[in-house]
Amino acid sequence: MNCEEKDITTLSEIEAPPSQYLEINLLNNGLYKLHINEFSDFSHLISLHLGFNNIVEIEPGAFHDLHMLKKLHINHNSLEILRENTFSGLENLEFLQADNNFITTIEANTFSKLNRLKVLILNDNAINFLPANIFRFVPLTHLDLRGNQLQNLPYVGLLEHIGRIIELQLEDNRWVCNCELLQLKIWLENMPRQSTIGDVVCFNPPDLKGSILRKLKKEMFCITTPSSDLEEPSVPLSLLGTASINDGRLPTKITSLQRNPTKETFVLTKATTIPPGIYCPIPCHCSSYSVSGNLIHCQERNIESMSDLESPPLNPRKLILAGNIIHRIDKSDFTEYGTLEMLHLGNNLIELIQEQSFQNLTKLQKLYLNGNHLRSLNSGIFIGLLSIEYLYLEYNAISEISSGTFSIMPKLKVLYLNNNLLKTLPEHIFSGVPLSKLNLKSNQFVNIPLRTVLEELTLLTQIDLQENPWDCTCNLTGLQKWIQIYKMAIISDVFCHSPKELANMDLKTLDKEDLCPELINNQALPTQLSLNNLIPTSTSASKVDSILKSLSDYIPLSVLILGLLIILITAVLCSAGIIVLVLHRKRRYKKKQENEQIRESSPVHIRYSMYGHKTTHHMTERPGSVLCEQRIANPVVQVYQTPPFTPKHVEQSQEEENELSDSKKITSNLIEKDNNSLQDTSNIKFTDPSAEFLSFQDASYLYRNLIDKERQMQQLGIAEYLRKNIAHLQPDLEACYPGTREEIKLMEALMYTRPRKVLVEQTKNEYFELKANLHSEPDYLEVLEQQA
């Protein structure tokens, strides 16, 4: 629930909405005091922002009902003391911001019940010491003590309880570099490297002023041991008890009391009001402190100009004029405030500040001009602010800043210009300014110079650029690159406002093509001729670049490289596997061919192949076999040359010739019938088979004797038949006798085994088988088979 700048003075003006969890923003309102049980209707709060109000006091028990609260902001108010029961009821509080107040006193048990507090921001107050055991049972990880009046931090009771600290800021304090600070030096040297510890810069003694403690040797700042009867206020806090106050005067001696450390209480040595005889201008309220001087509180007193105030008291340090109705600042308004260190002019109606109005405020460190009606700034306004470090100009109507406005402030570290009407910044506006924090939120920036503005902020650690109408075009490419480089300093994302297609998109996630589409198109289309030559390469390159860029945006580079490596290894292994498979198949094919050659070369295969195939075979002479190592002649020739196949009787020759002529006639008739039946479907030319038998002498005897030999073979058996007829072979032909019983059985099995393919009956294709047989050298067994 956002209630910022609603002029709310009491929480009774707010009606809590029904919600399980609630966050309320009460920034820049008129809250003055928080009463007991004031948040009773907001028990479901988890975040409460009370910054930039005028809260002077928080009564004990004001947060009693906020048991769910996790974040509390009470920064930029007018608090002077944090009491023991100020944060009662905030057992779940994790984040507490109380910077830029006037806190001088923190009671001993203020944070003792905040057992979940991790972040505590107390910078820019007036704290001059911390009581012992103040952080006991508090699990702090971040502690900011910058810009206070601290002189020492003892180990016992303080540093020993923050050993788990991750970030500790200690700059801009009044450190007294003597032997009492030796414990802090040793503790800092023993902290882990990952911890962020601010530098402790010596303020006293004068000869060591400006020296960094961690760079000093022990002998340089701890020369003698202080006596036990100490009368200086910089005594180690581990020896302190309860200081006493008599008649508003500071004690001259601090004594130690033997008490339980958890029960020690401390009261700051100060006067709550100005003692009699010390002047305070009406209608203000003044406070005096031994270290920080006089504080003048004039907030919400309906003051219209500085002339309404009388002369200030001596040695004024802080002047608070917030929440009044001042319209202008004249040149002579602050001539008597030369010792001021803080000036608060926020939430007034200031429209004009004359030049050199602050020229006498040479010691001023903080200037609040927020919440006014300023429209322009120039260098003459800030003349004389040589020590200024914090400048707050937010929530004005500033639309113009002259060149050199901030360059006359050589120590400026923090600058707030948010919530104004700025559209641009002049060149070299921050030249020579050591800014570390810059807030430009909620202005009218569409672009901001890069080289002449942002690149000159060499010490920048934090910048806020959100909620501006950024024009995401080619002019913003420089800002985009700068944001990507200094992304750790950017508080939040920078979103585009125009053009419409890029509205509400994060600037740092856009590509150059998105910001400069016209430039890309112009570069891609130089001429028609070059377009024809460049389109293939440019389009492919752009696609590759876009793919790689999209992958690098969403996938870490290490994962992307590992994935590409795995893909490469997989491709190599797959190609190697394919090569091995091809080589294996080639080797297997060669081996198969060799086995077939060996098998076909054996006589067993020759004989068995006659029964193992449907069609007849073309047989040639083979090399030496396995069963018979000598070369064997063709079986048909061998049979033809044997004596049993020679003519038995001369007188039978005429009969045989007649039978042969009859068979030739029958065969020729069959050929003619086959040719006539196959003439339509085949173009095969048939020849007279008898002509192919002319190569054999007396072929008639072969066919006649084959029938006789077949009958004889069936009666005697293959083995007995071979024994009787083997002697009739010609002497020049060496036969291979079966040597063993196994060989005889094998030969019988080959001769009488049934064929794998059985011919049921003769068909018209019988002639083709006969013709194929005649083309080869006929085997007598094959002839018998065909005849049968």
Side-chain angles (χ1 to χ4, degrees):
M1 186 169 64
N2 188 6
C3 300
E4 186 176 352
E5 293 188 357
K6 301 297 183 182
D7 295 327
I8 298 172
T9 57
T10 60
L11 292 177
S12 59
E13 302 176 21
I14 304 174
E15 183 178 355
S19 176
Q20 185 177 0
Y21 301 107
L22 181 62
E23 297 181 5
I24 296 182
N25 181 10
L26 292 169
L27 189 71
N28 277 303
N29 282 282
L31 297 175
Y32 182 75
K33 186 177 182 180
L34 299 181
H35 302 280
I36 187 172
N37 297 325
E38 191 156 8
F39 294 93
S40 58
D41 296 332
F42 301 89
S43 58
H44 48 294
L45 270 179
I46 61 173
S47 177
L48 177 61
H49 204 313
L50 299 172
F52 291 94
N53 281 272
N54 297 312
I55 301 174
V56 177
E57 182 180 2
I58 301 176
E59 293 183 356
F63 305 118
H64 183 70
D65 297 313
L66 303 181
H67 300 289
M68 300 176 62
L69 192 68
K70 294 183 179 297
K71 289 186 178 181
L72 176 60
H73 303 263
I74 53 175
N75 55 296
H76 291 86
N77 283 284
S78 301
L79 296 172
E80 298 181 7
I81 184 171
L82 297 180
R83 302 185 184 278
E84 183 174 343
N85 297 322
T86 298
F87 304 108
S88 177
L90 302 179
E91 292 84 3
N92 292 313
L93 191 66
E94 298 177 357
F95 181 96
L96 175 58
Q97 183 180 5
D99 60 286
N100 289 279
N101 280 277
F102 307 113
I103 300 172
T104 56
T105 304
I106 300 178
E107 295 184 356
N109 297 320
T110 301
F111 308 118
S112 61
K113 296 181 180 180
L114 304 181
N115 298 325
R116 296 188 178 182
L117 185 63
K118 296 181 180 179
V119 180
L120 178 59
I121 302 175
L122 293 171
N123 61 285
D124 298 291
N125 282 284
I127 304 170
N128 58 3
F129 77 92
L130 294 172
N133 301 312
I134 185 66
F135 299 128
R136 191 176 185 182
F137 308 119
V138 182
L140 284 178
T141 58
H142 295 75
L143 176 60
D144 193 344
L145 296 172
R146 292 175 296 175
N148 282 282
Q149 307 293 325
L150 295 173
Q151 299 180 17
N152 183 26
L153 288 181
Y155 176 79
V156 177
L158 188 62
L159 296 178
E160 63 178 344
H161 297 311
I162 57 174
R164 293 178 293 178
I165 202 75
I166 297 176
E167 182 179 4
L168 176 61
Q169 302 294 340
L170 300 172
E171 298 93 327
D172 300 328
N173 280 278
R174 297 178 179 270
W175 302 110
V176 179
C177 293
N178 54 23
C179 293
E180 296 175 0
L181 212 61
L182 182 60
Q183 295 180 0
L184 176 60
K185 176 178 172 60
I186 296 173
W187 183 82
L188 293 175
E189 292 173 350
N190 293 325
M191 288 298 292
R193 291 186 177 181
Q194 59 269 24
S195 299
T196 302
I197 309 296
D199 289 332
V200 177
V201 181
C202 299
F203 187 81
N204 281 313
D207 57 334
L208 294 177
K209 187 175 183 179
S211 302
I212 299 176
L213 179 63
R214 61 182 175 84
K215 295 182 179 180
L216 296 177
K217 295 182 179 179
K218 178 182 176 181
E219 297 77 10
M220 297 176 64
F221 63 92
C222 186
I223 302 174
T224 59
T225 303
S227 62
S228 59
D229 190 12
L230 295 174
E231 298 185 1
E232 297 296 329
S234 59
V235 64
L237 296 181
S238 60
L239 302 177
L240 289 178
T242 303
S244 61
I245 302 175
N246 296 321
D247 300 330
R249 293 175 294 178
L250 297 178
T252 58
K253 185 175 181 179
I254 300 176
T255 59
S256 61
L257 300 178
Q258 298 297 327
R259 293 180 129 190
N260 192 334
T262 60
K263 299 297 183 179
E264 287 182 347
T265 59
F266 295 85
V267 179
L268 182 64
T269 58
K270 72 164 190 174
T272 57
T273 60
I274 294 294
I278 298 181
Y279 170 76
C280 182
I282 299 174
C284 301
H285 170 74
C286 299
S287 300
S288 179
Y289 299 91
S290 59
V291 178
S292 58
N294 294 324
L295 276 65
I296 307 173
H297 301 268
C298 302
Q299 67 269 23
E300 296 184 351
R301 296 295 194 270
N302 293 324
I303 299 173
E304 296 183 1
S305 66
M306 290 297 297
S307 60
D308 295 343
L309 295 179
E310 299 178 1
S311 299
L314 295 176
N315 193 26
R317 294 293 183 87
K318 295 184 179 181
L319 175 60
I320 303 173
L321 292 167
N324 288 284
I325 53 176
I326 301 173
H327 289 270
R328 59 179 293 162
I329 302 296
D330 294 326
K331 183 177 180 180
S332 59
D333 285 344
F334 298 103
T335 54
E336 299 179 3
Y337 293 86
T339 58
L340 276 183
E341 296 178 357
M342 193 275 288
L343 175 60
H344 202 316
L345 293 170
N347 298 322
N348 278 275
L349 303 175
I350 301 174
E351 297 179 355
L352 176 63
I353 300 177
Q354 289 186 352
E355 293 186 2
Q356 302 181 3
S357 295
F358 305 125
Q359 65 176 346
N360 195 40
L361 304 181
T362 56
K363 296 183 179 180
L364 191 68
Q365 298 178 4
K366 299 178 184 178
L367 175 59
Y368 295 85
L369 290 170
N370 56 291
N372 285 284
H373 298 163
L374 296 175
R375 298 182 181 275
S376 62
L377 299 176
N378 58 75
S379 59
I381 295 177
F382 304 107
I383 292 176
L385 300 180
L386 302 178
S387 301
I388 192 73
E389 297 181 4
Y390 301 85
L391 180 57
Y392 300 90
L393 294 166
E394 68 271 20
Y395 293 99
N396 279 278
I398 302 172
S399 60
E400 183 182 357
I401 300 178
S402 301
S403 180
T405 298
F406 305 115
S407 60
I408 61 174
M409 294 178 277
K411 294 185 178 181
L412 185 62
K413 297 179 180 179
V414 178
L415 176 61
Y416 281 75
L417 287 169
N418 55 288
N419 297 90
N420 281 285
L421 302 175
L422 293 171
K423 294 183 179 180
T424 186
L425 292 174
E427 295 183 357
H428 310 292
I429 186 65
F430 300 124
S431 178
V433 182
L435 275 181
S436 61
K437 294 183 181 180
L438 176 62
N439 194 332
L440 297 175
K441 175 184 176 182
S442 300
N443 278 278
Q444 301 297 321
F445 289 109
V446 295
N447 191 9
I448 191 169
L450 181 63
R451 294 183 179 178
T452 58
V453 176
L454 293 180
E455 290 185 354
E456 292 182 351
L457 299 172
T458 57
L459 301 177
L460 194 66
T461 60
Q462 180 177 309
I463 185 172
D464 194 346
L465 299 172
Q466 61 180 326
E467 298 181 14
N468 281 282
W470 299 107
D471 183 24
C472 294
T473 58
C474 288
N475 295 329
L476 220 62
T477 55
L479 177 61
Q480 183 197 37
K481 294 180 180 179
W482 188 84
I483 290 176
Q484 293 174 349
I485 296 174
Y486 296 95
K487 57 184 178 180
M488 298 302 295
I490 307 299
I491 291 181
S492 59
D493 296 331
V494 178
F495 294 99
C496 299
H497 184 265
S498 63
K500 293 182 179 180
E501 57 270 16
L502 300 179
N504 299 322
M505 295 186 68
D506 190 359
L507 176 60
K508 68 175 178 291
T509 61
L510 298 179
D511 298 330
K512 186 177 181 180
E513 294 80 1
D514 299 326
L515 296 175
C516 301
E518 298 178 357
L519 180 61
I520 299 300
N521 293 334
N522 292 334
Q523 292 178 354
L525 298 170
T527 59
Q528 185 64 31
L529 180 61
S530 62
L531 177 63
N532 297 331
N533 297 330
L534 294 177
I535 279 179
T537 57
S538 63
T539 54
S540 60
S542 63
K543 289 181 179 179
V544 172
D545 293 340
S546 61
I547 292 173
L548 293 176
K549 193 165 187 179
S550 61
L551 288 175
S552 62
D553 289 341
Y554 297 99
I555 302 176
L557 184 60
S558 59
V559 177
L560 183 61
I561 294 175
L562 181 61
L564 294 176
L565 183 61
I566 292 175
I567 293 174
L568 179 61
I569 294 174
T570 306
V572 172
L573 293 178
C574 290
S575 59
I578 293 173
I579 293 173
V580 171
L581 180 61
V582 171
L583 293 177
H584 179 71
R585 290 178 67 88
K586 286 185 177 180
R587 192 179 303 168
R588 186 177 178 183
Y589 179 73
K590 290 181 180 179
K591 187 175 181 181
K592 185 176 180 180
Q593 284 185 337
E594 291 176 359
N595 292 337
E596 288 180 355
Q597 291 177 0
I598 295 173
R599 185 173 59 188
E600 291 177 358
S601 65
S602 67
V604 175
H605 175 73
I606 294 172
R607 293 178 180 271
Y608 183 71
S609 64
M610 298 177 186
Y611 290 83
H613 299 280
K614 180 177 180 180
T615 59
T616 57
H617 307 276
H618 302 279
M619 299 189 312
T620 57
E621 290 185 5
R622 305 293 182 186
S625 64
V626 178
L627 297 177
C628 301
E629 295 179 357
Q630 292 88 359
R631 188 177 68 86
I632 300 175
N634 189 281
V636 177
V637 178
Q638 182 180 351
V639 173
Y640 182 77
Q641 292 179 353
T642 56
F645 289 97
T646 57
K648 289 183 179 181
H649 304 285
V650 177
E651 56 273 5
Q652 295 178 351
S653 60
Q654 188 65 34
E655 296 178 358
E656 292 174 353
E657 290 177 359
N658 294 331
E659 293 176 359
L660 181 61
S661 62
D662 294 336
S663 63
K664 289 181 179 180
K665 292 179 180 179
I666 295 171
T667 303
S668 63
N669 294 330
L670 291 173
I671 291 172
E672 291 177 358
K673 290 180 181 180
D674 292 334
N675 288 333
N676 294 330
S677 61
L678 299 175
Q679 186 175 4
D680 297 333
T681 58
S682 176
N683 294 325
I684 302 175
K685 296 181 180 180
F686 298 97
T687 58
D688 188 0
S690 61
E692 297 181 13
F693 282 92
L694 294 178
S695 60
F696 295 96
Q697 184 179 2
D698 296 332
S700 61
Y701 293 102
L702 174 65
Y703 289 97
R704 182 175 60 81
N705 291 330
L706 282 174
I707 297 173
D708 295 337
K709 297 306 176 183
E710 181 185 11
R711 295 174 182 173
Q712 186 178 0
M713 193 182 303
Q714 291 177 354
Q715 294 175 358
L716 299 177
I718 185 64
E720 187 66 23
Y721 176 81
L722 291 175
R723 288 191 186 96
K724 288 183 177 183
N725 293 284
I726 201 70
H728 299 286
L729 297 175
Q730 293 181 3
D732 59 342
L733 180 66
E734 295 181 2
C736 183
Y737 292 89
T740 61
R741 183 176 180 84
E742 287 76 14
E743 294 179 355
I744 295 174
K745 289 182 178 181
L746 177 62
M747 296 176 66
E748 292 178 353
L750 294 174
M751 294 299 297
Y752 292 99
T753 301
R754 295 180 63 184
R756 289 179 297 175
K757 300 294 179 72
V758 180
L759 298 176
V760 180
E761 62 180 357
Q762 293 180 351
T763 63
K764 61 182 179 179
N765 295 326
E766 181 181 2
Y767 171 73
F768 300 110
E769 296 180 359
L770 181 61
K771 182 180 179 180
N773 284 330
L774 293 177
H775 275 292
S776 64
E777 297 177 4
D779 191 298
Y780 74 97
L781 294 176
E782 185 175 359
V783 173
L784 289 176
E785 179 183 0
Q786 296 294 336
Q787 186 177 4

